[in-house]
Amino acid sequence: MKNRYRSALMFALLALMAAFQISCKEDDVDTHGEPSITYIRVTNPASSDSLLVGAFQSNLIAIVGENLQDVTEIWFNDQKAVLTPTYITNKSILVSVPAMVPKEISNKMRMIFSNGRTLEHDFEVQISEPELTGMNCEYVATGGIATINGNYFYPPLTVTFAGGVTGELVSVTDQIIQVRVPQGALPGQVTVKTAFGETKSDFWFRDNRNIFLSNDPFTGWWNQAYVVTKPGAGDPVAINGNYIRVKEVVSGWQWKEVAGGPPDAMGPISKNIPDEAILRPADYNLKFEVNTLKPYNNNLLKINVGLAKDFVTDAYQWAPPYDTKGEWRTVTIPFNEIAASYESLGVKMAVNPNGYYTRLLFHGGGDLDADISMDNFRVVPKILKK
């Protein structure tokens, strides 16, 4: 029995040694031969058969070939990659494409080895076109500075407004552009162009679409006294005609209707909400501009929009805190969140060709020392059809 066990153990050891020897023969190559690249692929094992001729910045790639172990530098265009020795073998290298944007584009990857050899391979660093996510405020006067948020803002770039006029760049980082609004800028999309592509915004500058509450002129049931028609000293500047300003203490659970009314009181403006927004609220946003000279830090603003039959008191609640520190800012609320607030109370939005009920109501816990201005309530598409 012992002899049989020893024989089995010896056989297992011999088999293991044979497997190791075969493995070594498969892995060992002529490490003094010329380096070469067979292909480049993604590093995800589930997609290991996906070969690459280019990759985006910061993507991790696998370079597969022969005699690669002595590499000391890898350059993509004119940008040097960071190498990790543990990710380098004679047959493969794992390396991330540099994040920095190249100044000179050759669409080549260049490898330098310790013996002075170099190896070039065609490889494109795919640099993203600009991505525009929004503006701090979509209403900025001519000569004012507009702030555009997004990504991949690589100079040199241009910002063009509807009307075909180009703004003066004030400041540019990868994610923020500050641009002076030029004479002749019109309501519409903004276009940002870099050396790597151009993108039109899904949002509109000075967005005048689908406004259902503007006070130009005043309509509705409540509080015309809150409408500012001629801003004076200490008032926020007007950004699009008249605006609402609430400057008083709103006590906790005080019923303070600020603006709105049923369709017949609001007039034709109450019909401005698109049918598609009522039927597919997930595709739309509610937007409006806000300016706080004192922080909105208590109470609640309850918003009714797109209601076909009546008001709903405890529907969507725009809750504090919010503080613009005396600047106008654009507020964006997904319209499906408003629809969901209605449905939670058993009310479903429906298309009404006669218009919709509108209300802004302060009604919540906590006293609010308010100085808050609002304008341009609108329901607009999240993404524009190309």
Side-chain angles (χ1 to χ4, degrees):
M1 186 70 178
K2 286 183 179 178
N3 288 338
R4 189 177 301 169
Y5 175 78
R6 285 175 183 164
S7 297
L9 182 60
M10 184 61 70
F11 178 79
L13 287 171
L14 289 171
L16 183 62
M17 290 176 66
F20 179 76
Q21 298 249 354
I22 292 169
S23 175
C24 286
K25 287 179 181 177
E26 288 178 347
D27 286 344
D28 286 345
V29 295
D30 179 10
T31 58
H32 301 290
E34 287 289 330
S36 63
I37 296 174
T38 307
Y39 56 85
I40 299 174
R41 63 172 175 81
V42 298
T43 56
N44 183 356
S47 306
S48 59
D49 59 344
S50 297
L51 305 186
L52 301 176
V53 295
F56 283 98
Q57 301 150 277
S58 300
N59 278 11
L60 183 66
I61 61 172
I63 304 168
V64 179
E66 302 287 346
N67 303 312
L68 303 176
Q69 71 283 346
D70 293 327
V71 69
T72 58
E73 297 178 15
I74 299 180
W75 293 76
F76 294 82
N77 297 307
D78 60 357
Q79 297 298 313
K80 186 178 180 181
V82 176
L83 297 182
T84 304
T86 53
Y87 291 168
I88 300 172
T89 71
N90 57 339
K91 284 191 170 183
S92 67
I93 300 170
L94 298 183
V95 64
S96 292
V97 178
M100 294 295 292
V101 176
K103 294 181 175 62
E104 297 181 8
I105 299 174
S106 62
N107 289 325
K108 296 283 187 183
M109 180 182 68
R110 182 165 55 95
M111 304 174 69
I112 301 174
F113 296 84
S114 59
N115 60 3
R117 291 173 175 168
T118 61
L119 176 62
E120 282 195 348
H121 188 80
D122 291 335
F123 194 81
E124 179 186 4
V125 177
Q126 298 162 342
I127 300 171
S128 298
E129 63 187 23
E131 177 183 282
L132 282 62
T133 57
M135 299 180 72
N136 284 5
C137 182
E138 292 178 0
Y139 279 80
V140 180
T142 298
I145 296 174
T147 300
I148 301 171
N149 302 303
N151 209 344
Y152 314 116
F153 296 151
Y154 301 133
L157 61 76
T158 58
V159 178
T160 304
F161 293 81
V165 291
T166 300
E168 172 197 347
L169 297 176
V170 176
S171 173
V172 178
T173 68
D174 286 354
Q175 297 181 325
I176 299 174
I177 300 171
Q178 290 189 315
V179 58
R180 196 173 304 280
V181 177
Q183 186 74 35
L186 300 176
Q189 293 171 277
V190 175
T191 301
V192 175
K193 183 177 181 179
T194 70
F196 311 105
E198 70 175 35
T199 302
K200 281 190 172 184
S201 64
D202 285 313
F203 60 83
W204 271 35
F205 173 71
R206 296 178 186 164
D207 196 349
N208 56 7
R209 300 168 297 166
N210 310 335
I211 293 177
F212 64 89
L213 178 58
S214 73
N215 294 292
D216 295 302
F218 169 83
T219 59
W221 274 356
W222 302 297
N223 288 318
Q224 186 173 0
Y226 287 143
V227 178
V228 177
T229 58
K230 295 180 180 179
D235 291 332
V237 298
I239 54 172
N240 187 31
N242 302 337
Y243 61 85
I244 299 165
R245 185 182 186 189
V246 180
K247 185 182 178 183
E248 62 186 76
V249 173
V250 181
S251 302
W253 300 111
Q254 179 183 356
W255 187 274
K256 178 61 68 175
E257 289 162 323
V258 171
D264 58 355
M266 294 301 294
I269 198 171
S270 72
K271 303 177 183 180
N272 283 353
I273 299 172
D275 292 352
E276 292 82 0
I278 301 297
L279 298 172
R280 290 183 291 276
D283 295 339
Y284 284 76
N285 286 321
L286 167 66
K287 290 188 176 186
F288 53 97
E289 274 65 51
V290 170
N291 186 320
T292 59
L293 294 179
K294 294 180 181 178
Y296 170 41
N297 56 11
N298 235 334
N299 219 289
L300 283 172
L301 181 64
K302 298 179 178 180
I303 301 175
N304 277 193
V305 49
L307 290 166
K309 294 182 178 180
D310 202 352
F311 303 105
V312 178
T313 296
D314 292 317
Y316 187 80
Q317 302 172 1
W318 186 55
Y322 197 82
D323 187 13
T324 73
K325 296 180 169 56
E327 297 181 353
W328 284 100
R329 291 292 183 102
T330 297
V331 174
T332 301
I333 300 170
F335 200 47
N336 57 307
E337 292 184 10
I338 294 173
S341 75
Y342 299 151
E343 291 186 12
S344 69
L345 298 173
V347 178
K348 186 174 176 60
M349 289 196 303
V351 172
N352 184 0
N354 296 318
Y356 299 94
Y357 287 75
T358 301
R359 183 168 65 188
L360 303 181
L361 168 67
F362 279 108
H363 183 238
D367 296 344
L368 172 63
D369 185 9
D371 192 346
I372 182 170
S373 300
M374 296 170 280
D375 202 2
N376 307 317
F377 286 80
R378 58 196 182 275
V379 176
V380 294
K382 290 180 179 179
I383 298 175
L384 297 182
K385 296 177 181 179
K386 305 301 182 184

